[in-house]
């Protein structure tokens, strides 16, 4: 199978956050710029809001097989680095190489 480029969106929920974890996550929000840091990237981006209930992790991967599993591993690693518990991870994969690009039609 040929290697393709994938956008992987992983979603889940925080669970059993302590007051210290909540404070740490809210502190990270102060420096977060959605336009600069919120898109898909090779480094991956963990996003959440001040409610600290749901989160998403966006990453671009080059893979030949199972990009959903690779995305889940990357999200788990990012969450483990923050020292938080989570549940319900689900990955949605888009093959960028197979995307159809609709170009605007010229008038006239």
């Amino acid at each position: 199978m040929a290697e393709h480029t994938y956008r992987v969106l992983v979603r889940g929920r925080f669970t059993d956050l302590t007051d210290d974890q909540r404070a740490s996550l809210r502190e990270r929000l102060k420096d977060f710029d959605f336009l600069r840091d919120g898109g898909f990237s090779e480094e991956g981006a963990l996003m959440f809001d001040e409610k600290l209930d749901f989160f998403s992790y966006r990453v671009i991967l080059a893979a030949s097989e199972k990009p959903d599993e690779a995305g889940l591993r990357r999200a788990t690693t990012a969450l483990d680095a923050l020292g938080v518990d989570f549940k319900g991870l689900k990955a949605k994969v888009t093959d960028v190489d197979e995307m159809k690009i609709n170009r605007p039609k010229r008038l006239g």
Side-chain angles (χ1 to χ4, degrees):
M1 177 184 248
E3 187 171 272
H4 283 240
T5 303
Y6 299 94
R7 284 187 195 172
V8 183
L9 175 62
V10 178
R11 294 184 181 185
R13 289 185 91 161
F14 292 114
T15 59
D16 303 324
L17 293 175
T18 65
D19 290 338
D20 289 341
Q21 289 171 325
R22 288 180 182 282
S24 175
L25 290 171
R26 287 193 175 108
E27 189 66 31
R28 288 177 51 97
L29 280 176
K30 291 179 183 177
D31 298 328
F32 187 79
D33 179 0
F34 181 79
L35 295 177
R36 183 189 66 220
D37 304 323
F40 287 90
S41 67
E42 292 179 0
E43 297 81 31
L46 180 64
M47 300 189 330
F48 49 89
D49 64 14
E50 58 277 340
K51 293 179 185 176
L52 301 177
D53 190 9
F54 295 95
F55 61 83
S56 66
Y57 181 80
R58 300 169 185 223
V59 65
I60 294 177
L61 298 171
S64 57
E65 312 184 337
K66 301 183 181 178
D68 53 340
E69 291 179 12
L72 289 169
R73 281 193 305 274
R74 295 274 301 268
T76 300
T77 300
L79 291 160
D80 286 344
L82 292 175
V84 297
D85 291 329
F86 52 90
K87 66 179 180 180
L89 290 185
K90 294 181 182 177
K92 180 179 177 185
V93 177
T94 302
D95 187 339
V96 178
D97 297 334
E98 299 291 325
M99 290 175 68
K100 180 181 177 184
I101 299 173
N102 292 323
R103 304 204 189 277
K105 295 180 181 177
R106 292 188 180 200
L107 299 175

